[in-house]
Amino acid sequence: MHYPQLRLRRRRSTPAIRELLQETRIHIEDLIYPLFVCAGANKREPIEAMPGVYRLSVDLLLEEVARARQEGILAVLLFGVTESKDELAAAAYDAEGIVQKAVGLLKERFPELVVITDVCLCGYTSHGHCGVVKDGVILNDETLHLLAQTALSHAQAGADLVAPSDMMDGRVKVIRDQLDENGFSHVGILSYAAKFASAFYGPFREAAGSAPSFGDRRSYQMNPANRREAMEEVLLDLAEGADLVMIKPALAYLDIIREVRERVLCPVAAYNVSGEYAMVKAAAAQGWIDEKMVVMETMTGIKRAGADLIITYHARDIARWLQED
Ligand code: PBG
């Protein structure tokens, strides 16, 4: 009996052999922890569709980050939540704004923490769109200088990386120029390069109060059906000066992550978005899936697809699980 000669099961025969031969591993250093910061003090507002995630006032944000740092998390991605909204998103580029204040305090208390800020207008505009609106149209070029101002204000507050998530054409270049001209050539850009118009952002919009009041985001975010166009977006952002590129969402776009990984040399990030988080939490709460196993399998899949970095609301849970094992 010569068959089968090659028995791949030999490689799976003991826990130690399986561990030895594992091709993809999740490290805490791979993770970026997204956080929502709101005005006030001692505020910890739950987000219904994202159990375990809160809108935190800056004082409580500092405590949350202290715990995350202790668990080995290196980087956070900040989103501001505000009631003060207007047509031109003034609160987004206010030097005394919520994100700007949070960044300053975070860098003061945790100088080594990598602070990344989401640069977008949707949480700050009265209409909830990511750009300037005129006659129901989201204007591209009129939006660019507001994004650049927002990015600059984050840099001035001490951000290490700014992450434009608006999907206007040309914003990476305008932000790069604005940073360079103002003495912030050391601040990097993590561009949401291939960001799809996804239904998986639903819970986030509740969290950030950033749902569009009319229409949708399909005239600026990408059509989920388009693979080649995602590559164009990524190459364009790199040509404009992006240091790192992001694919978003992650799970329905693993093929995009893989293709970007094979085409570019820079670090690639994937955003495990709010809807992906909500689905896992909901099923786990029902006892229908094993949360830890599902989350770790998901992270492994995203990393195996080619992501170097994963932005995930599960970051602190993962930190705890990695320590347990
Ligand atoms: C802002 C922004 C969004 C997300 C990140 N930045 C929402 C959107 O584009 O509507 C989504 C993040 C998530 O769902 O976790 N433009």
Side-chain angles (χ1 to χ4, degrees), residues 128-193:
H129 276 290
C130 306
V132 175
V133 172
K134 191 160 181 240
D135 301 327
V137 178
I138 292 84
L139 301 177
N140 194 87
D141 300 8
E142 290 74 358
T143 301
L144 295 180
H145 73 283
L146 300 183
L147 292 167
Q149 251 179 280
T150 304
L152 177 60
S153 71
H154 294 175
Q156 284 164 337
D160 296 286
L161 291 164
V162 292
S165 69
D166 52 283
M167 291 300 281
M168 296 299 128
D169 287 322
R171 89 275 206 211
V172 172
K173 171 147 183 22
V174 172
I175 290 172
R176 185 69 272 158
D177 288 348
Q178 180 89 324
L179 293 174
D180 291 352
E181 282 160 18
N182 288 279
F184 292 94
S185 57
H186 54 284
V187 171
I189 301 177
L190 161 59
S191 79
Y192 286 69

Side-chain angles (χ1 to χ4, degrees), residues 118 120 122 165 195 201 204-205 217 221 248 274 313:
D118 185 87
C120 198
C122 59
S165 69
K195 177 173 177 181
Y201 307 151
F204 174 95
R205 291 180 190 167
R217 303 211 200 286
Q221 298 182 352
K248 176 185 174 195
S274 58
Y313 304 99

Side-chain angles (χ1 to χ4, degrees), residues 252-268:
Y253 301 87
L254 294 175
D255 58 325
I256 311 286
I257 297 173
R258 162 64 21 200
E259 191 163 347
V260 170
R261 170 69 295 149
E262 285 176 3
R263 288 241 193 149
V264 304
L265 296 174
C266 75
V268 173

